[in-house]
Amino acid sequence: MALYKEGLAFRYIQGTKYHRDKPMSDHLGSIPAVQSCKIYPDAKRLKLPKPDLNHPANLWQCMTRRRSERDTTSEPLSLNEFSTLLWAAQGVTAQAGIHLLRTAPSAGALYPFETYLYVDHVEDIPQGLYHFDVASFALERLKDGSFNRDMTTACLGQPVVRRAAVVFIWTAMMLRCMVKYRDRAVRYIPMDLGHVCQNVQLAATAMDLGSCPIGAFFDDEINRLLEIDGEDETALYLITVGKLN
């Protein structure tokens, strides 16, 4: 057998396949249910304005123009632009029972991730780290100040991070998905975040903003910055957004 097929990636795919003649089994035991949306009850809150969805945009043109744009400027995003990006990422569009259905699909409507933001220059929002409260469409302020150096260093020094007006940081909430899908959950969480990230890119393109997905980062440096454990909740995907030259 080729050595690469003995690696973790290949073994995971083989181990989490569905088979008609062999029910999937594991030794994970009972997996505890966790809250469907994380909140920080003691954090200062900033209610976001309703997004402006009247901005004219042609879907096909946005798909054609969409690129990973790294050459952004220090010009701040408007509060409305920022709000619209968040709505594109995780705006609630309907409710089915206990599930808040959103602008992007999710396996089992579980949405097993959380949205954090490093805001560097957005009008009317102080610099700092924030958590997005989906249900209330509000920001929860976690840390004040500039974390530009920390974010850039954690992302292997990529200049696009240093120049960004805002960095979206998505964390995987492992148990929220594993409680239903067990080990196969790790297939679904990145799929879900791919849908979300594409929404942000298309929204940014529609508003003539630049965005760039980021997959290369020191995971636990981001986790420490957000003060999460890196196990039950861990950083998985980032995207930068800023004004274009």
Side-chain angles (χ1 to χ4, degrees):
M1 178 183 293
L3 286 178
Y4 64 84
K5 291 188 177 181
E6 298 179 11
L8 180 62
F10 272 83
R11 288 189 288 112
Y12 175 77
I13 291 297
Q14 296 304 315
T16 57
K17 284 182 177 179
Y18 284 156
H19 300 278
R20 289 186 181 277
D21 59 347
K22 185 177 68 175
M24 182 177 287
S25 62
D26 58 51
H27 303 286
L28 300 179
S30 176
I31 297 176
V34 297
Q35 62 195 107
S36 59
C37 293
K38 187 175 182 180
I39 59 170
Y40 288 81
D42 298 327
K44 293 181 180 178
R45 300 174 65 78
L46 173 63
K47 184 71 175 177
L48 293 166
K50 291 183 179 180
D52 179 7
L53 304 181
N54 295 315
H55 190 285
N58 181 288
L59 174 62
W60 314 118
Q61 291 178 4
C62 287
M63 292 174 69
T64 301
R65 292 168 48 217
R66 186 222 57 80
R67 291 292 181 272
S68 294
E69 300 281 2
R70 294 172 173 82
D71 189 19
T72 56
T73 75
S74 59
E75 183 181 354
L77 300 185
S78 71
L79 183 57
N80 185 263
E81 288 169 330
F82 179 66
S83 176
T84 302
L85 290 167
L86 274 169
W87 185 86
Q90 282 295 280
V92 175
T93 55
Q95 185 163 354
I98 63 171
H99 300 296
L100 297 177
L101 306 183
R102 310 178 197 175
T103 52
S106 174
L110 296 175
Y111 296 96
F113 48 84
E114 293 292 326
T115 303
Y116 296 82
L117 302 118
Y118 169 52
V119 174
D120 197 24
H121 32 278
V122 175
E123 292 175 356
D124 302 318
I125 300 182
Q127 269 186 324
L129 288 169
Y130 294 84
H131 173 259
F132 178 47
D133 180 348
V134 172
S136 299
F137 202 68
L139 294 182
E140 298 169 321
R141 189 185 303 180
L142 305 181
K143 296 180 181 179
D144 293 327
S146 174
F147 294 90
N148 193 298
R149 182 187 297 271
D150 300 288
M151 286 296 305
T152 303
T153 301
C155 293
L156 284 65
Q158 297 178 70
V160 63
V161 178
R162 174 175 50 80
R163 291 193 290 260
V166 60
V167 181
F168 286 68
I169 308 161
W170 288 296
T171 63
M173 299 294 289
M174 301 300 298
L175 299 183
R176 194 182 293 165
C177 198
M178 289 181 71
V179 71
K180 180 173 182 178
Y181 294 113
R182 315 291 287 183
D183 269 336
R184 196 171 168 95
V186 182
R187 289 175 177 248
Y188 296 141
I189 300 173
M191 291 181 195
D192 286 356
L193 284 178
H195 306 320
V196 174
C197 187
Q198 177 75 341
N199 274 12
V200 173
Q201 284 218 286
L202 290 175
T205 302
M207 293 186 286
D208 296 317
L209 303 174
S211 62
C212 183
I214 301 289
F217 53 88
F218 294 110
D219 305 60
D220 285 332
E221 290 187 20
I222 298 291
N223 292 333
R224 284 192 292 271
L225 195 60
L226 299 178
E227 298 183 5
I228 57 177
D229 65 10
E231 295 184 355
D232 291 346
E233 180 179 11
T234 187
L236 195 63
Y237 203 10
L238 286 71
I239 189 172
T240 64
V241 183
K243 296 273 190 177
L244 288 170
N245 284 310

